[in-house]
Amino acid sequence: MSWLLFLPLALPFATAVLAFLARGRNALAGWISLGGCLLLLASTIALVAAVWEDGVIASQMGEWPAPFGIALVADLLSAVMVAITAITGLAVAVYARADIDARREALGYHTLFQVLLAGVCGAFLTGDLFNLYVWFEVMLIASFGLLALGGDKAQIDGAIKYVVLNLVSTVLFLIGIGLLYGLTGTLNLADLHGAVQNIENQALLTVVALFFMIAFGIKAAVFPLFFWLPASYHTPPVAISAVFAGLLTKVGVYALIRLFTLVFIQDIGFTHGLLLVIAVLTMVTGVLGAAAQNEFRKILSFHIVSQIGYMVLGLALYTPLALVGAVFYLVHHIIVKANLFLISGIARRLTGSFELPAVGGLYRASPLLAVLFLVPAFSLAGFPPLSGFWAKYLLIKASLDVGAYAVAGAALVVGLLTVFSMTKIWAQAFWKSHPEDIVPALTHLALRERTVLLLPVAALAGLTMVIGLFPEALIIFAERAANQLLDPTAYVAAVLGGVP
Amino acid sequence: METVLAVLVGILVAASVYLMLARNLLRFLFGLVLLSNAANLTIFAAGRLTEATPPLVPKGMLGPTETVANALPQALILTAIVIGFGLLAFTLVLVYRGYRTLGTLESDAMRFAEPAADAPPSTITDPDGSAL
């Protein structure tokens, strides 16, 4: 059992080492990265299957018994998150074979990419708060490297803002850890679940909870802490911004969900009430920010912020149905958002720019690409029968159930404004003709390039369609995951119940 | 002793916030250094302080016989210092690279990723100049 928990961390690190040894031979490093992602996907699918069969799996590293050692834990949420990480990683690893230039490959793109995946998987699987901090740092340093790799002017500018604000977030996280340790004397998440109930002064716990809320809020890019995201995500090559857009903010959301269902549940009226306000403001500001933009990737970046609001909303309502919606939303959103970034890269290749006023004619150039864009774009906006419809439906139903009509209304309006942004991209990039009378065509790309770029996009769009047409399987899965979150008995027992 | 440390942490945080509010990136980084040190001291104080009681088991005993220092916070701090050191080294190099590439340390003048709609980036200046 412990191998299943260990492999999602060991495989990317091993791949990173191999890719580093193959530096200078770019094609080989690219294949190594691709192979590593395939193995990672296989191991995470096995992990999901095992958690589905046996319930929560935990393993104590080095056989140090909990709560003294570091535990790796996988409940259904963690398992599905590492699986979706592997899917995104695989799609981007394929795409990167044509997207990342030789210079960046030689500088170690593949190595950093694999370290990033390891950091993300580690953050999803760890059962220890300080260890979570360490995985955050692994993830961050890899993302710093990827963002600055190549050193274009815009990249350096974006990287500086991204780096400094994320460092502030980690320091706040660290202060929170210190204070929580001072209150409880433990850092094991399962142990904390019990330990926080014995604190005499619960107000202190709420203050500590705010440290974590701000720290993870910066990572997750919620209102008003999101400014680093639209300042940086449009600067690196597309393969890099796609993996950032898909995964990094979601690690912040995951950490929020984990801590605010397992540890900080003593004063729900305040903490989750605050999260609810934050969620609505995040949704609204994100989508309004997007409406003001005219650059393909900047629009998408602001939509990340807006969508994060929906996920936090699911956590903030804190009902079984709302958490089902949050889990469903996480899975759907990662696939869709990574895909939209990948498509923006193809659009730029065909038309020469990310600036919407300067491009056009894509529909005539490639109806296939147009369809592939429509699927994730309208899924993001929440059109039936695509995956986003079910995600939004669950969350809006959940908010109506608790009588939060204003929240439900805001969620609907934000969905409508998302359609506005997506139709803006559609009208400008696909529908109108190119302002310089260039007729872009897919056939301008070499056959290999075309295949490598379109394959992951088509696969992710297919996945969106499958989730949209057959949502029941994922909803049942999300229901079980939400039950595990709301009743952490199994989680606590798996970690503290003894060494397997 | 706890009071002294608490006051010290407060002063460090206040100084770091003051520095981080500056437009100059180098000042911001110094603020970040102070803040991470404040975080380390917070962990140290939160782990309860003892005076001159090393966590050693006397010869022939199975456990410590009296109250001893808590070793865990020190392990945590050590990890945090190393990680923080690595990240700060990276950030310093990045900021230096930014100074070489962008020609400024003023965050207001860094408008290459998000160009201002009306003004070209070079016209944004700060009376202080870059204080390198």
Side-chain angles (χ1 to χ4, degrees):
Chain A
M1 274 306 139
S2 80
W3 279 101
L4 282 179
L5 284 169
F6 182 60
L7 278 177
L9 311 179
L11 283 172
F13 273 129
T15 315
V17 172
L18 288 177
F20 183 72
L21 291 176
R23 73 190 186 284
R25 277 171 292 174
N26 292 342
L28 180 63
W31 282 111
I32 289 172
S33 173
L34 198 57
C37 285
L38 271 174
L39 288 176
L40 179 65
L41 182 61
S43 79
T44 54
I45 288 174
L47 178 67
V48 172
V51 177
W52 181 256
E53 288 291 316
D54 308 336
V56 184
I57 307 177
S59 175
Q60 317 295 335
M61 292 297 101
E63 300 295 321
W64 283 48
F68 302 108
I70 289 169
L72 293 183
V73 198
D75 63 352
L76 282 172
L77 176 63
S78 301
V80 75
M81 291 308 285
V82 285
I84 212 81
T85 304
I87 291 173
T88 317
L90 183 60
V92 172
V94 174
Y95 191 92
R97 301 282 287 112
D99 185 61
I100 301 293
D101 52 280
R103 187 171 61 101
R104 286 193 171 86
E105 279 190 299
L107 284 170
Y109 163 78
H110 297 291
T111 309
L112 285 170
F113 176 68
Q114 291 294 332
V115 174
L116 182 77
L117 289 184
V120 172
C121 288
F124 288 145
L125 286 176
T126 185
D128 182 278
L129 203 50
F130 196 80
N131 198 230
L132 180 65
Y133 164 77
V134 175
W135 287 117
F136 261 105
E137 300 290 17
V138 171
M139 183 180 93
L140 272 185
I141 194 74
S143 69
F144 293 171
L146 284 173
L147 196 54
L149 198 67
D152 293 349
K153 247 183 177 180
Q155 262 187 295
I156 295 286
D157 186 4
I160 287 176
K161 287 156 192 173
Y162 175 87
V163 166
V164 293
L165 286 176
N166 275 286
L167 284 181
V168 173
S169 145
T170 59
V171 176
L172 290 174
F173 184 14
L174 195 59
I175 294 177
I177 288 175
L179 294 175
L180 192 59
Y181 175 73
L183 282 175
T184 60
T186 180
L187 289 171
N188 182 298
L189 285 172
D191 199 26
L192 276 170
H193 174 70
V196 291
Q197 289 162 20
N198 303 327
I199 298 172
E200 278 175 30
N201 190 347
Q202 288 289 337
L204 284 176
L205 187 69
T206 310
V207 174
V208 174
L210 285 182
F211 271 98
F212 286 94
M213 205 187 280
I214 297 171
F216 296 145
I218 296 178
K219 291 269 196 288
V222 298
F223 178 87
L225 309 164
F226 63 81
F227 296 102
W228 56 270
L229 193 150
S232 59
Y233 271 26
H234 62 285
T235 57
V238 172
I240 295 173
S241 50
V243 75
F244 281 19
L247 296 175
L248 293 194
T249 45
K250 262 54 77 180
V251 179
V253 176
Y254 165 84
L256 273 177
I257 293 182
R258 177 64 72 210
L259 280 169
F260 284 83
T261 57
L262 188 63
V263 181
F264 300 116
I265 44 173
Q266 310 298 320
D267 189 3
I268 286 176
F270 177 72
T271 51
H272 291 60
L274 186 58
L275 280 173
L276 189 63
V277 177
I278 291 171
V280 173
L281 287 173
T282 308
M283 285 194 288
V284 175
T285 45
V287 86
L288 291 180
Q293 298 298 324
N294 267 316
E295 203 251 35
F296 206 140
R297 285 198 286 178
K298 277 191 194 167
I299 295 178
L300 296 179
S301 299
F302 272 103
H303 274 294
I304 299 175
V305 176
S306 169
Q307 308 284 310
I308 292 291
Y310 282 98
M311 297 166 217
V312 178
L313 172 67
L315 168 66
L317 290 170
Y318 202 60
T319 62
L321 188 64
L323 278 170
V324 174
V327 174
F328 194 103
Y329 215 109
L330 270 170
V331 174
H332 134 79
H333 173 81
I334 292 176
I335 297 170
V336 164
K337 187 52 84 177
N339 201 8
L340 281 171
F341 269 87
L342 296 181
I343 292 168
S344 78
I346 302 179
R348 198 201 77 104
R349 257 161 210 268
L350 294 179
T351 60
S353 175
F354 284 114
E355 296 292 337
L356 289 179
V359 302
L362 277 172
Y363 180 72
R364 209 187 318 167
S366 165
L368 172 67
L369 186 66
V371 172
L372 288 178
F373 170 76
L374 271 187
V375 172
F378 283 97
S379 177
L380 190 77
F383 269 47
L386 298 161
S387 59
F389 168 73
W390 302 105
K392 283 201 171 63
Y393 172 77
L394 289 168
L395 285 173
I396 291 170
K397 172 92 169 49
S399 39
L400 289 176
D401 282 352
V402 296
Y405 300 110
V407 173
L412 283 171
V413 171
V414 170
L416 199 64
L417 288 170
T418 311
V419 181
F420 167 73
S421 280
M422 291 302 129
T423 43
K424 181 160 78 181
I425 297 179
W426 173 258
Q428 299 254 27
F430 288 85
W431 210 243
K432 79 169 199 270
S433 41
H434 200 288
E436 287 161 30
D437 288 326
I438 301 170
V439 182
L442 261 189
T443 41
H444 291 170
L445 302 175
L447 180 64
R448 174 190 169 277
E449 213 178 359
R450 219 184 313 162
T451 325
V452 166
L453 292 175
L454 280 176
L455 193 68
V457 170
L460 292 179
L463 208 52
T464 310
M465 289 293 288
V466 169
I467 296 176
L469 293 173
F470 308 100
E472 201 182 341
L474 185 56
I475 290 180
I476 293 173
F477 186 94
E479 262 174 1
R480 258 217 235 176
N483 285 338
Q484 283 181 351
L485 289 172
L486 280 172
D487 178 20
T489 331
Y491 185 96
V492 174
V495 178
L496 299 181
V499 184
Chain B
M1 192 63 188
E2 274 91 349
T3 324
V4 176
L5 272 183
V7 172
L8 184 58
V9 168
I11 293 172
L12 281 175
V13 171
S16 85
V17 169
Y18 176 74
L19 283 171
M20 288 200 291
L21 289 176
R23 292 195 188 89
N24 188 302
L25 267 179
L26 206 58
R27 279 169 177 258
F28 186 98
L29 275 189
F30 289 152
L32 204 59
V33 174
L34 288 187
L35 191 65
S36 57
N37 283 328
N40 292 338
L41 280 179
T42 309
I43 300 178
F44 187 55
R48 306 292 185 274
L49 300 173
T50 51
E51 216 169 305
T53 47
L56 299 174
V57 179
K59 204 171 184 180
M61 304 295 251
L62 285 174
T65 47
E66 53 199 19
T67 312
V68 293
N70 188 352
L72 184 68
Q74 308 192 11
L76 298 182
I77 294 167
L78 199 57
T79 316
I81 289 175
V82 173
I83 292 176
F85 176 76
L87 288 177
L88 277 169
F90 177 87
T91 316
L92 270 172
V93 172
L94 179 69
V95 167
Y96 179 62
R97 177 69 190 269
Y99 179 66
R100 296 276 301 268
T101 314
L102 310 178
T104 179
L105 278 175
E106 299 298 319
S107 50
D108 277 0
M110 293 187 169
R111 298 300 301 261
F112 298 92
E114 301 170 287
D118 42 355
S122 54
T123 60
I124 301 167
T125 47
D126 192 77
D128 291 343
S130 66
L132 237 192

